[in-house]
DNA sequence: CCCGCCAAAATGTCCGTACATTTGGACTAT
DNA sequence: ATAGTCCAAATGTACGGACATTTTGGCGGG
């Protein structure tokens, strides 16, 4: 069974490439290919045209084309094999991953009501004490927002958030006791989160955390470190969440990597 | 506060580079730099020599050097900024797990050696004390396999597995101190796991677990409950894993569900 | 003393070339 | 038909150069 080349080169919008843009060419190409895959012009299991042909279609060097393809491969959208070609991978069925959403939405999906009590809310700037993910944003204005989260009036977790406010000035004026963070961002700033990255581990509660969560010191907590990205893969927000292990579990499902 | 260049170029073992090896040069260099970072020759927060200097030290082109550095950056070992230089990141003490692969494969991907010590291995049948997922398999033969897992001879976690043996008779005769479970299934029975479902939460170590994992009672553990399915979505295996929270973290990335 | 400008250093982007390796298919000989 | 050989295609690896952008720090002028 050989895969035919399905992608029509005419679908490639060379016009969108702007050599004078601050966005690198390989990134513009990467985005265009993501669009083609997403919109079905390059369906799953189809073979992409070879590098050299693509590079001519986009009117760039092979090296630039390879950088774009390498990023797509690293992200799992395509598979490349010498001698074979570049194949669009079957996209995982994301609809099963129902927990990849805001706390408010998660609780609503479970038929519970999400609430928040703001523990701290202040503006600041990114400094060298910030987590590593902020390294390239030193000096940028940000909002620090620490909240105790409830599900049906029962304390479930504590969230320590740092949000870059370059794209959402005056974010600090909102009352996050009343509104969810993502709700405000969408309604007031038209900002939509595109991707969420989680890192999960465990810890035990200290005195302060135990007091807030109404559990005992030393009880287990699930640690979820969350990094969110906007449409253009721009880093946006970092949150460390501590959830009561007796009230929280995280579920996901993967295709096995042979 | 400027970081001095700490890495001694004399530490670079150009001798180890073999242009005739099937292993690419950039990969050999990557491994050498990993070693230097791991062994402390390039400590955290130190500045690495510039690309061009490194490429001369290794006697390769700048492009090859950049490929090695790009892989280290993608892996989070170093941070690079134009004008500033290349900085060795503070290394998290945790091992970052992706759950779409076996423990053995995960360790191999990270350049570590997976080992196992079988704690218990016996045949049995599914009874009413089995987890809920086995409800429709009451009376079926199974293998109970409890293992202590090591990465580079360091205890990382405990895995309590129950495997349905309808499709793999005599599975109990293999020595799982020597071979990974999925390796045996693939090699001896041609069985391939297709999908893995995880549920993650946290707990604290009891006396027995602390002893096995060489930690203190009450230290945090990551609980991963795993259900695996074969090609035809047929339920196959259930494992509860307890991982040391100081050695384990789980990472994933999703598209946001608006 | 402070501020702004400028130069040096370092990484980032982009181009070109050459050859190696892998793969799959066509072709040939049996 | 079948097995083995060979070739073309595609990606992988590695070299080179050129210029852009970012950062840091030094140097002067005010």
């Amino acid at each position: 069974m050989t895969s035919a080349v399905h992608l029509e080169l005419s679908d490639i919008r060379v016009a969108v490439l702007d050599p004078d843009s601050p966005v690198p060419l390989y990134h513009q190409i990467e985005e265009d290919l993501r669009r083609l895959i997403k919109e079905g012009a390059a369906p799953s299991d189809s073979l992409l045209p070879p590098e050299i042909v693509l590079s001519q279609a986009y009117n760039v060097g092979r090296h630039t084309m390879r950088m774009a393809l390498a990023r797509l491969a690293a992200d799992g959208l395509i598979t490349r094999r010498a001698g074979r070609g570049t194949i669009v991978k079957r996209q995982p069925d994301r609809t099963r991953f129902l927990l990849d959403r805001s706390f408010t939405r998660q609780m609503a999906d479970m038929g519970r009501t999400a609430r928040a009590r703001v523990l701290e809310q202040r503006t600041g700037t990114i400094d060298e004490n910030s987590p590593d993910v902020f390294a390239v944003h030193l000096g940028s204005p940000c909002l620090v927002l620490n909240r105790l989260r409830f599900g049906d009036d029962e304390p479930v977790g504590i969230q320590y958030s740092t949000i870059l406010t370059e794209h959402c000035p005056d974010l600090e004026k909102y009352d996050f006791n009343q509104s969810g963070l993502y709700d405000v961002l969408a309604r007031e700033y038209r900002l939509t989160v595109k991707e969420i990255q989680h890192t999960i581990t465990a810890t035990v509660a200290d005195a302060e955390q135990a007091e807030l969560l109404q559990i005992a010191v030393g009880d287990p907590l699930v640690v979820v470190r969350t990094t969110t990205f906007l449409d253009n893969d721009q880093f946006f927000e970092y949150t460390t969440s501590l959830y009561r292990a007796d009230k929280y579990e995280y579920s996901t499902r993967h295709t096995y990597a042979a």
Side-chain angles (χ1 to χ4, degrees), chain A residues 6-8 11 35-43 46:
Chain A
H6 285 119
L7 178 63
E8 294 294 325
D11 285 333
R35 178 185 63 82
L36 291 170
I37 291 172
K38 193 174 186 176
E39 294 179 359
S46 69

Side-chain angles (χ1 to χ4, degrees), chain A residues 15-252:
Chain A
V16 304
L17 291 203
D18 175 12
D20 298 327
S21 161
V23 178
L25 282 176
Y26 66 79
H27 193 272
Q28 297 180 46
I29 294 172
E30 180 193 345
E31 286 305 313
D32 195 52
L33 288 175
R34 280 183 192 276
R35 178 185 63 82
L36 291 170
I37 291 172
K38 193 174 186 176
E39 294 179 359
S44 296
D45 295 324
S46 69
L47 205 57
L48 287 186
E51 290 178 349
I52 191 70
V53 175
L54 282 174
S55 69
Q56 286 159 2
Y58 282 110
N59 198 29
V60 297
R62 186 186 168 212
H63 180 62
T64 305
M65 196 65 229
R66 276 181 67 78
M67 286 185 72
L69 292 170
R71 290 164 64 100
L72 291 173
D75 226 33
L77 267 76
I78 59 176
T79 300
R80 321 195 69 207
R81 258 165 75 204
R84 178 110 168 68
T86 301
I87 295 169
V88 179
K89 286 222 290 197
R90 188 175 54 75
Q91 296 310 116
D93 178 15
R94 308 266 186 193
T95 58
R96 251 206 268 256
F97 300 166
L98 294 178
L99 293 184
D100 316 330
R101 43 195 65 190
S102 72
F103 183 88
T104 306
R105 175 70 183 276
Q106 282 182 48
M107 285 297 158
D109 285 351
M110 295 190 306
R112 304 177 68 176
T113 306
R115 292 193 210 291
R117 192 171 91 213
V118 173
L119 304 173
E120 181 175 14
Q121 181 171 346
R122 61 175 173 80
T123 57
T125 53
I126 303 297
D127 61 24
E128 62 275 6
N129 296 322
S130 305
D132 286 345
V133 287
F134 287 108
V136 297
H137 294 276
L138 279 175
S140 298
C142 66
L143 174 68
V144 172
L145 178 63
N146 299 335
R147 291 173 292 175
L148 179 60
R149 303 308 302 260
F150 300 83
D152 282 347
D153 300 317
E154 184 179 54
V156 173
I158 312 171
Q159 297 179 326
Y160 305 93
S161 300
T162 303
I163 305 118
L164 288 180
T165 49
E166 287 170 313
H167 303 92
C168 42
D170 302 323
L171 182 63
E172 69 275 11
K173 73 181 179 188
Y174 294 96
D175 179 3
F176 294 104
N177 289 291
Q178 302 302 325
S179 308
L181 172 60
Y182 289 6
D183 292 340
V184 170
L185 290 170
R187 198 173 56 240
E188 305 293 335
Y189 298 94
R190 303 283 161 210
L191 286 177
T192 307
V193 169
K194 185 192 171 198
E195 286 215 316
I196 307 187
Q197 181 172 322
H198 296 288
T199 302
I200 304 174
T201 184
T203 188
V204 292
D206 64 20
E208 182 184 349
Q209 293 152 0
E211 164 73 19
L212 288 168
L213 293 172
Q214 297 177 26
I215 55 176
V217 173
D219 279 358
L221 298 175
V222 180
V223 181
V224 182
R225 294 196 294 275
T226 306
T227 311
T228 53
F229 300 85
L230 298 179
D231 273 335
N232 45 0
D233 274 333
Q234 200 165 17
F235 168 63
F236 173 64
E237 173 224 348
Y238 179 81
T239 295
T240 299
S241 303
L242 303 179
Y243 294 107
R244 289 173 54 168
D246 61 338
K247 297 292 175 189
Y248 184 96
E249 63 182 23
Y250 179 88
S251 258
T252 189

